[in-house]
Amino acid sequence: MDAEKKQTEQLRQMLEKSQRIVVFTGAGISTESGIPDFRSPGGIWSKNQPINYQDFISSEEMRIESWRRRFALGKVLDQARPNPGHLAVAKLVQRGKAACVITQNIDGLHQQAGVPDDKVIELHGNTHHAVCLECGKRFELAPIRQAFEQNPHAPVCDICGGMVKTATVSFGQSMPAAKMHAAREQTVNCDLFLSLGSSLVVYPAAGFPEIAKRNNARLAIINRDLTSMDHLADLVIHDGIGPVLAAAVDPE
């Protein structure tokens, strides 16, 4: 058995023996669906520096630029579809193996793949809708896009007049406390923490693998590049997520 098949078989056995898996996903699982990541060379932030939350709040110009960027990315985001990695994760949830998916991604592809909303903890929010920062009203993007294309401006809430922003967590914006708490609780209680496509460098989310290990869970990491937590893992696979996970979840 070659090294790749041996690692996939190890992963299959880990999945089979586990009863309460927590799946943690980063940008690497979605790049396989054609969505560019943010941090890598050539990524989104190498072309446009991220807009800080305080700049969004204080500057009409920055709010307009933020919306311009979102709609410029719209075609890529709207056309992206779940890949074999997302579908394999969904199968783990549907079979009762995985208790939840904790994700740093904002693309909603886990839900598209079949993971129920209540099983997905989106630490950085979701880019497919917007919210009023004052009253919390939800807004769909299509009407905002149509109005923006006719007259580029920063939308405001039709209820309270508050600023409307995509439902994502920006630089300088507080992480959602309830979701962080839920993610920690799930991590503490898992028996296998499966990290997919995350460099595991962005805290506090990157601390979850450490929490899992401290609570006697096994740790498996699939990521094309080295991560800061490889030394803690029971299994590390440096390869594409989709082919490896699909083969482990549904072996021939």
Side-chain angles (χ1 to χ4, degrees), residues 110-130:
H110 286 300
Q111 293 93 322
Q112 285 188 41
V115 181
D117 271 329
D118 64 355
K119 297 289 187 182
V120 183
I121 301 173
E122 294 176 313
L123 297 179
H124 295 164
N126 190 300
T127 192
H128 290 292
H129 64 275

Side-chain angles (χ1 to χ4, degrees), residues 1-74:
M1 184 181 292
D2 64 33
E4 290 182 4
K5 287 184 178 178
K6 185 177 180 180
Q7 287 185 321
T8 301
E9 175 60 19
Q10 287 179 278
L11 179 60
R12 185 196 68 77
Q13 291 181 17
M14 292 177 78
L15 297 174
E16 186 176 293
K17 293 176 182 177
S18 300
Q19 299 300 317
R20 190 174 179 85
I21 302 167
V22 162
V23 180
F24 180 76
T25 63
I29 194 170
S30 290
T31 56
E32 295 180 20
S33 288
I35 295 178
D37 70 5
F38 288 85
R39 291 178 175 79
S40 296
I44 292 170
W45 287 342
S46 69
K47 300 170 185 175
N48 290 299
Q49 285 296 309
I51 294 173
N52 189 278
Y53 181 66
Q54 291 304 320
D55 292 334
F56 182 93
I57 295 297
S58 63
S59 168
E60 170 80 5
E61 183 180 354
M62 286 294 97
R63 290 195 290 279
I64 293 173
E65 174 62 12
S66 177
W67 281 103
R68 185 197 67 76
R69 292 184 188 182
R70 169 59 186 85
F71 295 135
L73 267 177

Side-chain angles (χ1 to χ4, degrees), residues 138-159:
R138 174 177 169 139
F139 291 85
E140 300 307 316
L141 293 193
I144 296 176
R145 184 201 302 263
Q146 185 176 17
F148 190 88
E149 289 173 349
Q150 293 174 355
N151 174 27
H153 66 285
V156 297
C157 179
D158 57 358
I159 299 295

